[in-house]
Amino acid sequence: MQWRKNIPIQVDVTSETDPHRPTLAALGWSPFFAAQIAPDEAHLQPLRISNVHRSRMSAQSADETLRLVLPPQTSTADYAVGDWVLAEPETALLVRRLDRSSLLQRRTEGARAQQLIAANVDTLFIATSCNDDLNPARIERYLALANEAGTRPVIVLTKVDKVDDPAFWRDQVTGLQRGLEVVSLDATSESAKAILAPWCGAGQTVALVGSSGVGKSSLLNTLTDKTGEEAQLTGSIREDDAKGRHTTTSRSLHAISGGGTVIDTPGIRTLHVSDLSIGLEVLFAEITELAPECRFRDCTHAHEPGCAVQAAVKAGSLDPARLERWRKLSEENISNTPVMTGPRGNRKVKPAGNRR
């Protein structure tokens, strides 16, 4: 479908009877999405996907949640929580999805297509606990995911009320990426709202990711003022290995009290790296910048003479453990990313992991 850009669309997002009613702008609607609506679509209703299930989807309007009527042959796997769609206002019949400003996705083992995590996310809160759950190598995978999507990553250290000094845990993550922002908080405390306020303003969308048991559900309840039956279930961690139990089973969109929206996601234990182009380059910027100085253009930074990266390791300006993690993720990305093969005009996807 063709549409003209920069067409001003007037959307009634206020209420004469209730001036405090939420607006589409508060949900994340912006000129980026409005410019995609063609003149003959002005009567359609913009909605934001709030839940995606195998055979149904729900979407949020300015003042209510609707169950979408799906046209035949619609695959819900093509939609992510956070997507903006257009629907018939009288029937809630889905017409089409608008282009995304960002998309968080991952490839699960054995799957041909990527699994969509969340769409149109401004900031990704990567939650990890101040305990043995904190794993820098796993956090780097989330950072690569955020970088590839063009989403701003923020590390959220939870359970600071359980430790004497969170500085020890903060030091483990601060240098994982240039300019990386790190905050520490008690997910159950009202103070968490103020700490995260810079990223949770009206119209902003944040997503919560991290392992089970790190406090994502508690943080969601705090940000959204959910209590009682409305609150997300929370779970404790096992004391012997600091691992948690799944309490969130699906992705969902929620309004943050005071403005913005938050997308909650199930805990992810294994995050495979694949389909990355700039995600690793941004994550390992110090290696990316050194590579052009190597003698050989295809240097693996392992054994070649004249390797600027190895020289930096020997000089003590580059952590060898950091280089090893770069190598592991780079090799995994190549192995897991499908490639196109065959003659032009009849190209096919070669399965990931098969390079012969």
Side-chain angles (χ1 to χ4, degrees):
M1 180 178 293
Q2 299 292 327
W3 63 79
R4 291 186 299 164
K5 298 288 186 178
N6 302 320
I7 299 175
I9 302 297
Q10 300 298 322
V11 180
D12 181 11
V13 295
T14 61
S15 172
E16 295 181 359
T17 58
D18 184 6
H20 301 293
R21 195 185 83 180
T23 66
L24 285 182
L27 284 174
W29 183 257
S30 70
F32 173 82
F33 302 108
Q36 299 179 43
I37 303 180
D40 61 352
E41 295 177 318
H43 69 287
L44 297 178
Q45 183 179 17
L47 299 168
R48 195 165 194 195
I49 301 296
S50 56
N51 287 98
V52 178
H53 299 280
R54 186 180 299 273
S55 59
R56 68 184 190 278
M57 294 192 296
S58 299
Q60 183 71 44
S61 70
D63 57 354
E64 63 178 334
T65 300
L66 305 171
R67 179 168 176 173
L68 290 172
V69 177
L70 305 182
Q73 309 305 317
T74 298
S75 174
T76 60
D78 296 332
Y79 295 81
V81 171
D83 269 330
W84 280 99
V85 299
L86 299 179
E88 294 286 352
E90 299 298 328
T91 63
L93 175 66
L94 174 67
V95 176
R96 70 179 180 93
R97 174 183 60 78
L98 299 180
D99 287 346
R100 298 154 172 147
S101 61
S102 65
L103 177 63
L104 294 163
Q105 56 186 338
R106 66 167 181 149
R107 189 176 298 280
T108 56
E109 191 169 0
R112 301 181 67 89
Q114 295 238 52
Q115 181 187 58
L116 308 185
I117 298 175
N120 303 312
V121 174
D122 299 296
T123 303
L124 183 67
F125 286 154
I126 304 172
T128 185
S129 306
C130 292
N131 54 34
D132 290 340
D133 172 81
L134 194 152
N135 185 320
R138 184 171 66 235
I139 293 174
E140 285 175 338
R141 293 172 179 267
Y142 284 116
L143 290 173
L145 185 79
N147 295 338
E148 191 68 24
T151 296
R152 182 181 190 175
V154 175
I155 304 297
V156 179
L157 294 174
T158 63
K159 303 185 187 296
V160 294
D161 54 311
K162 305 295 184 182
V163 297
D164 295 329
D165 184 9
F168 169 78
W169 307 99
R170 178 184 288 268
D171 290 343
Q172 295 189 48
V173 299
T174 299
L176 294 182
Q177 182 168 299
R178 287 182 184 171
L180 181 62
E181 294 166 294
V182 181
V183 298
S184 52
L185 49 78
D186 173 4
T188 63
S189 172
E190 283 292 304
S191 63
K193 291 182 183 179
I195 294 172
L196 299 180
W199 303 282
C200 297
Q204 293 293 302
T205 299
V206 300
L208 292 170
V209 295
S211 302
S212 301
V214 299
K216 297 195 309 300
S217 295
S218 295
L219 187 56
L220 176 78
N221 292 335
T222 299
L223 290 175
T224 59
D225 285 338
K226 289 182 181 292
T227 58
E229 295 183 355
E230 289 186 342
Q232 293 281 88
L233 292 175
T234 60
S236 59
I237 61 171
R238 297 194 297 258
E239 296 297 333
D240 56 343
D241 59 6
K243 293 184 179 181
R245 303 168 179 84
H246 289 288
T247 54
T248 300
T249 57
S250 63
R251 297 168 183 84
S252 52
L253 181 80
H254 307 266
I256 297 175
S257 59
T261 53
V262 55
I263 297 175
D264 193 22
T265 68
I268 300 175
R269 276 277 167 216
T270 303
L271 182 60
H272 298 285
V273 168
S274 69
D275 303 88
L276 300 180
S277 57
I278 66 169
L280 294 180
E281 293 180 4
V282 175
L283 175 59
F284 297 101
E286 71 274 35
I287 298 175
T288 302
E289 293 171 357
L290 285 170
E293 301 177 18
C294 294
R295 180 183 301 176
F296 301 104
R297 182 175 298 179
D298 58 349
C299 184
T300 64
H301 314 315
H303 52 71
E304 295 87 346
C307 174
V309 174
Q310 284 293 341
V313 171
K314 292 180 181 179
S317 58
L318 178 62
D319 184 357
R322 178 92 164 151
L323 175 59
E324 182 57 32
R325 294 203 299 270
W326 166 85
R327 180 175 291 109
K328 179 179 180 179
L329 291 183
S330 297
E331 292 174 351
E332 182 179 325
N333 183 48
I334 293 173
S335 176
N336 289 342
T337 301
V339 297
M340 299 299 293
T341 185
R344 183 177 299 178
N346 190 31
R347 296 176 69 79
K348 299 179 180 179
V349 176
K350 190 175 184 179
N354 186 359
R355 291 291 184 267
R356 296 184 179 181

